[in-house]
Amino acid sequence: MQFFVDTANLDHIREAAELGILDGVTTNPSLMAREGIAGEKNILKHYRTICEIVGEGRDVSAEVIATDFKGIVEEGKRLAELHENIVVKVPMIREGVKAIAHLTETGIRTNCTLVFSAGQAILAAKAGATYLSPFIGRIDDIGWDGMALIREIVEIYNNTGYDTAILAASIRNPLHIIQAAKAGADVVTCPLSAILGLFSHPLTDIGLEKFLADYHKANPGA
Ligand code: G3P
């Protein structure tokens, strides 16, 4: 399972990249706004900087603002021209699916976002989306089971042979990451805090403290 970090914060992206286990980055208009990135020139510059930080072969999802076919395709092409890492993130709407099919035909990779049902997952895969982003946390937020959707889509894609990668999004904590891995997601995208949370175990801390104390007892002054 690949690890993407879901942020437009350059410090978090650098920290995740330095861990040596980062496979990519996803952003969205809310995450860009949270970092104060506004205006087309600044937005494009920020995407380019993210691509340079993560380096070759690590996908960076950049979301379109347009919601009509022509607008999505034009914006998608502009984004894709920015850097070879860019994957164009397109919302799960009729015009979006149409645009995904067109962009796929022209060789541009896409990430279909705002996915909340198995039916939507089928449409995106039929259109040839590279990635599919079901929003786990937001489904949990309304008292439904987000991870059940991942399991359902995994079953459908296995049965049908669709090769769209299932990118579990709106992941909020370490448990979500573990559950997504068990459910068979191809990718998880999450805040840096959720990735760092995977490191924590009190027995690791206690064990390391004891190993070091024993070493120093046996090697005084070392
Ligand atoms: O980038 C899309 C998704 O991961 C957003 O997550 O936490 O805002 O529901 P969240």
Side-chain angles (χ1 to χ4, degrees):
M1 185 175 74
Q2 293 201 313
F3 270 46
F4 287 8
V5 70
D6 191 31
T7 183
N9 181 291
L10 299 183
D11 290 335
H12 287 191
I13 293 168
R14 273 192 203 98
E15 193 176 335
E18 279 163 13
L19 285 174
I21 55 166
L22 186 70
D23 299 299
V25 178
T26 52
T27 62
N28 63 40
S30 304
L31 293 171
M32 294 289 276
R34 193 180 296 169
E35 300 307 315
I37 313 298
E40 194 183 354
K41 212 171 135 223
N42 292 333
I43 290 172
L44 298 183
K45 187 168 163 251
H46 200 74
Y47 286 141
R48 220 177 285 121
T49 305
I50 293 174
C51 291
E52 281 157 14
I53 291 173
V54 296
E56 205 182 311
R58 294 191 177 84
D59 289 347
V60 174
S61 286
E63 189 158 340
V64 296
I65 302 301
T67 55
D68 63 293
F69 171 75
K70 195 167 166 282
I72 295 172
V73 168
E74 281 172 9
E75 203 181 335
K77 285 183 176 167
R78 274 203 304 281
L79 289 168
E81 273 168 13
L82 270 182
H83 197 281
E84 60 188 14
N85 291 11
I86 293 285
V87 174
V88 180
K89 208 170 178 189
V90 178
M92 168 38 77
I93 53 176
R94 282 172 74 140
E95 297 288 289
V97 169
K98 218 169 114 183
I100 287 171
H102 182 82
L103 290 168
T104 302
E105 263 176 35
T106 61
I108 292 176
R109 294 175 309 139
T110 58
N111 175 355
C112 184
T113 188
L114 289 166
V115 170
F116 294 93
S117 76
Q120 293 177 329
I122 292 171
L123 288 171
K126 281 293 292 174
T130 314
Y131 295 101
L132 178 88
S133 290
F135 277 28
I136 303 315
R138 292 192 195 186
I139 296 176
D140 289 356
D141 287 345
I142 59 161
W144 293 16
D145 182 357
M147 218 47 76
L149 177 60
I150 297 291
R151 288 191 292 274
E152 199 180 2
I153 299 170
V154 168
E155 185 184 346
I156 291 168
Y157 283 12
N158 283 343
N159 288 346
T160 54
Y162 292 140
D163 56 8
T164 296
I166 301 168
L167 190 164
S170 186
I171 291 281
R172 306 270 176 77
N173 55 53
L175 187 59
H176 269 159
I177 298 177
I178 295 163
Q179 289 170 333
K182 285 168 77 175
D186 299 293
V187 190
V188 276
T189 190
C190 42
L192 178 63
S193 59
I195 299 176
L196 296 180
L198 292 174
F199 282 99
S200 303
H201 201 290
L203 291 179
T204 304
D205 301 339
I206 293 166
L208 183 59
E209 202 178 317
K210 175 91 170 73
F211 284 157
L212 295 179
D214 289 345
Y215 172 82
H216 287 300
K217 213 185 291 169
N219 299 271

